[in-house]
Amino acid sequence: AQKITQTQPGMFVQEKEAVTLDCTYDTSDPSYGLFWYKQPSSGEMIFLIYQGSYDQQNATEGRYSLNFQKARKSANLVISASQLGDSAMYFCAMREANKFYFGSGTKLNVKP
Amino acid sequence: KAGVTQTPRYLIKTRGQQVTLSCSPISGHRSVSWYQQTPGQGLQFLFEYFSETQRNKGNFPGRFSGRQFSNSRSEMNVSTLELGDSALYLCASSRTSSGRATYNEQFFGPGTRLTVL
């Protein structure tokens, strides 16, 4: 089974609107970390937000928030007030034990 | 604090050659991981080094190897290059290589884009 699943290969959002990027994960380890990264066309992976498996509250970082639903094993990224510069690939990742697992990514296009 | 640096940024090689890529982690980071990114396969984990020891290895053939030096800098070597090795190779560093879900986020370098002709 896939460790990380991102079911949306591509998404469009209107500038200034909010968008949710889906991510589900699979693990039996009670201790894990969930991450979201942004990869612009330049190629560099940029860390956005982190959620630990024991964290009680959803993580937030500026316009980014993580909708963590542990029972459903989902960790959706919410971007509020989308900007043109948000157009990029977005990867969900999980750290379990000593390994990182990445999803296949979602390409977000922000329309003016 | 300087970020993760990778050299070279771009590389063109021919089939059968070998290549060495270099990664310098963020100061104080002892864990370095390598990933291969291709349009078809996405991001695939190659291996992770921590304190000069390989801690984890992905499902890649033995042509892919790496090492880490005492200053945490890491090199990745690919021998007998194949066309399918053309990819973006990303290096990431983190503070620890802990089995616990501590805040050990990976910081990525800009990558080395390898083209095999």
Side-chain angles (χ1 to χ4, degrees), chain A:
Chain A
Q2 292 280 351
K3 284 285 189 180
I4 296 286
T5 302
Q6 293 181 255
T7 58
Q8 307 152 313
M11 290 275 288
F12 284 90
V13 65
Q14 200 68 39
E15 191 178 9
K16 298 181 185 176
E17 291 185 350
V19 63
T20 298
L21 307 183
D22 295 341
C23 172
T24 57
Y25 59 92
D26 181 35
T27 182
S28 56
D29 192 333
S31 182
Y32 53 89
L34 297 160
F35 304 80
W36 277 92
Y37 288 88
K38 172 184 177 182
Q39 187 178 42
S41 55
S42 59
E44 187 164 358
M45 297 283 279
I46 302 167
F47 165 76
L48 295 178
I49 196 166
Y50 165 84
Q51 181 86 42
S53 59
Y54 296 116
D55 293 344
Q56 296 295 313
Q57 291 187 319
N58 287 346
T60 59
E61 289 285 347
R63 294 187 297 111
Y64 304 108
S65 60
L66 200 152
N67 185 0
F68 182 44
Q69 298 187 45
K70 198 169 182 177
R72 292 186 177 185
K73 293 187 177 178
S74 80
N76 298 339
L77 176 70
V78 180
I79 305 175
S80 63
S82 297
Q83 301 172 356
L84 296 179
D86 294 335
S87 293
M89 282 290 288
Y90 288 81
F91 291 94
C92 178
M94 176 175 69
R95 180 150 191 146
E96 176 194 67
N98 286 332
K99 292 188 178 182
F100 260 85
Y101 301 91
F102 283 80
S104 54
T106 295
K107 186 172 175 57
L108 177 66
N109 284 292
V110 180
K111 299 186 292 184

Side-chain angles (χ1 to χ4, degrees), chain A residues 29 31-33 35 37 39 41-45 47 50 52-54 91 95-100 102-103, chain B residues 9 35 37 43 45 48 55-57 88 90 94 96-110:
Chain A
D29 192 333
S31 182
Y32 53 89
F35 304 80
Y37 288 88
Q39 187 178 42
S41 55
S42 59
E44 187 164 358
M45 297 283 279
F47 165 76
Y50 165 84
S53 59
Y54 296 116
F91 291 94
R95 180 150 191 146
E96 176 194 67
N98 286 332
K99 292 188 178 182
F100 260 85
F102 283 80
Chain B
R9 292 292 310 278
Y35 296 86
Q37 187 177 27
L43 262 163
F45 171 75
E48 178 187 14
R55 294 293 292 267
N56 290 287
K57 190 176 190 304
L88 179 68
L90 290 164
S94 59
T96 70
S97 179
S98 168
R100 304 296 301 172
T102 54
Y103 182 69
N104 50 8
E105 162 205 343
Q106 288 190 333
F107 294 85
F108 283 82

